[in-house]
Amino acid sequence: MKKLKLVLTMVTAAFVLLLTACGTSETSGENGGKSEEKTLRVVTDAAYAPFEYLDKGEVTGFSVDFINAVAKQAGYKVKIENVGWDPLFVEIEGKTADLAISSITINDKRKKTYDFTVPYFLSTNKIMVPKESPIKSAGDLKGKTVAVQNGTTGQEAVEKMFGAENKNLKKFENNNLAIMELKSGGADAVVADNTVVEEYVKNNPKDNLVVIEDTNAFEKEFYGVLFPKGSKLRGEFDKAIKEIMENGEYAKVYKKWFNIEPDLTDIKA
Ligand code: ARG
């Protein structure tokens, strides 16, 4: 009986070893062949429709299709995980993830700690308010309660206008919570990326919200894919992004989500 147990343990051990060996050879990609695509760990904050959001528990959106197209072009597979906004930066800095895609604006502050690819999307902050709101421009936000996602360029822009000590600024872990605060009357406005608030207003007509543009208050921003500083993958992804912009793949993904042809002049400038 004892002998049988020993044999069984040995067989199991051998099997586990074999599995581990297969696993490593599959992901090591050392010979760099297309047949052995390495799977990269991608992190995101999936509460930013239509870019990245959860649909029946699956991360979906423009960013998902875009990064899949880029990775494929570069010869990689990706596995996207919804970890949240603040944690995604921690993961990239700590190199526990290979890259992040999350409508992340390229800016100098972030560039000190992380590397970005070339820009792939043009954006700007806009203001979302109830239809009957007296707020008509960014200046009107003075003294009003503004809901933003913590650690975003939206937060930064509002703080720049009214000071970082602004007591009327409500910061949330994700943008959906900021929108909920507006809907429940706990805030007078939400400041977030234009495509996100525009899409929200369009898809939720019963909420009676409108979007206000103020080009004097909010700058043009560009999204980039975020990498740990010094990541060797960054160059490969830069190349792949440029290639899918040339070969029509980018336009295909863009049209699927926005129903129009992309204007690449701004992005490439
Ligand atoms: N573009 C803005 C920024 O980089 C907001 C991005 C928020 N993204 C998200 N998935 N919640 O600060």
Side-chain angles (χ1 to χ4, degrees):
M1 211 46 194
K2 253 193 188 158
K3 227 182 196 173
L4 184 68
K5 243 189 192 164
L6 187 70
V7 171
L8 264 175
T9 323
M10 278 168 71
V11 170
T12 321
F15 193 64
V16 167
L17 267 175
L18 191 76
L19 272 181
T20 329
C22 286
T24 28
S25 80
E26 192 195 16
T27 51
S28 76
E30 259 158 35
N31 44 17
K34 289 257 173 192
S35 56
E36 285 193 36
E37 287 174 330
K38 188 181 171 185
T39 300
L40 304 173
R41 179 157 186 266
V42 179
V43 286
T44 192
D45 169 34
Y48 221 54
F51 294 111
E52 49 272 339
Y53 61 99
L54 292 177
D55 184 16
K56 297 180 193 86
E58 287 272 306
V59 185
T60 180
F62 169 81
S63 309
V64 174
D65 291 347
F66 167 75
I67 203 66
N68 270 303
V70 178
K72 193 173 165 211
Q73 181 71 26
Y76 294 97
K77 280 189 184 146
V78 291
K79 190 175 178 297
I80 305 175
E81 246 180 84
N82 177 29
V83 299
W85 182 247
D86 290 336
L88 79 80
F89 289 95
V90 176
E91 292 232 26
I92 298 301
E93 196 177 354
K95 299 189 166 84
T96 49
D98 296 294
L99 59 124
I101 186 148
S102 207
S103 318
I104 307 170
T105 300
I106 303 169
N107 64 26
D108 289 341
K109 202 164 104 199
R110 290 174 182 159
K111 273 201 226 160
K112 281 185 197 148
T113 317
Y114 313 94
D115 281 346
F116 279 100
T117 56
V118 289
Y120 69 84
F121 202 92
L122 172 66
S123 176
T124 188
N125 275 288
K126 286 194 184 176
I127 308 163
M128 184 164 71
V129 292
K131 259 185 191 144
E132 69 281 6
S133 170
I135 298 165
K136 303 288 176 218
S137 71
D140 296 336
L141 292 174
K142 196 176 167 65
K144 300 280 193 236
T145 306
V146 183
V148 294
Q149 182 181 9
N150 188 46
T152 57
T153 53
Q155 177 197 338
E156 214 174 277
V158 178
E159 284 182 346
K160 227 166 145 187
M161 286 188 278
F162 308 115
E165 309 298 280
N166 190 349
K167 286 190 198 66
N168 299 326
L169 187 63
K170 286 190 176 173
K171 297 175 258 183
F172 295 90
E173 191 183 314
N174 70 56
N175 197 58
N176 291 343
L177 295 173
I179 295 177
M180 275 167 66
E181 190 71 3
L182 174 67
K183 279 170 58 177
S184 68
D188 302 304
V190 164
V191 172
D193 292 3
N194 65 304
T195 313
V196 172
V197 287
E198 277 156 4
E199 182 82 2
Y200 186 85
V201 165
K202 199 176 86 196
N203 293 337
N204 300 275
K206 288 200 187 111
D207 287 349
N208 281 313
L209 299 166
V210 287
V211 171
I212 296 165
E213 176 174 21
D214 191 335
T215 49
N216 293 320
F218 304 115
E219 287 169 7
K220 268 188 189 177
E221 300 182 10
F222 295 95
Y223 297 164
V225 182
L226 192 79
F227 284 92
K229 202 132 204 83
S231 167
K232 290 197 183 73
L233 291 168
R234 204 273 306 262
E236 296 176 43
F237 273 63
D238 272 345
K239 186 167 163 273
I241 290 173
K242 288 177 198 154
E243 282 165 0
I244 68 159
M245 283 181 180
E246 294 297 328
N247 73 12
E249 267 317 298
Y250 180 91
K252 217 159 101 188
V253 172
Y254 191 98
K255 268 191 270 179
K256 173 181 165 191
W257 288 96
F258 305 111
N259 288 317
I260 51 164
E261 208 61 60
D263 179 2
L264 294 173
T265 43
D266 265 319
I267 300 173
K268 287 185 181 167

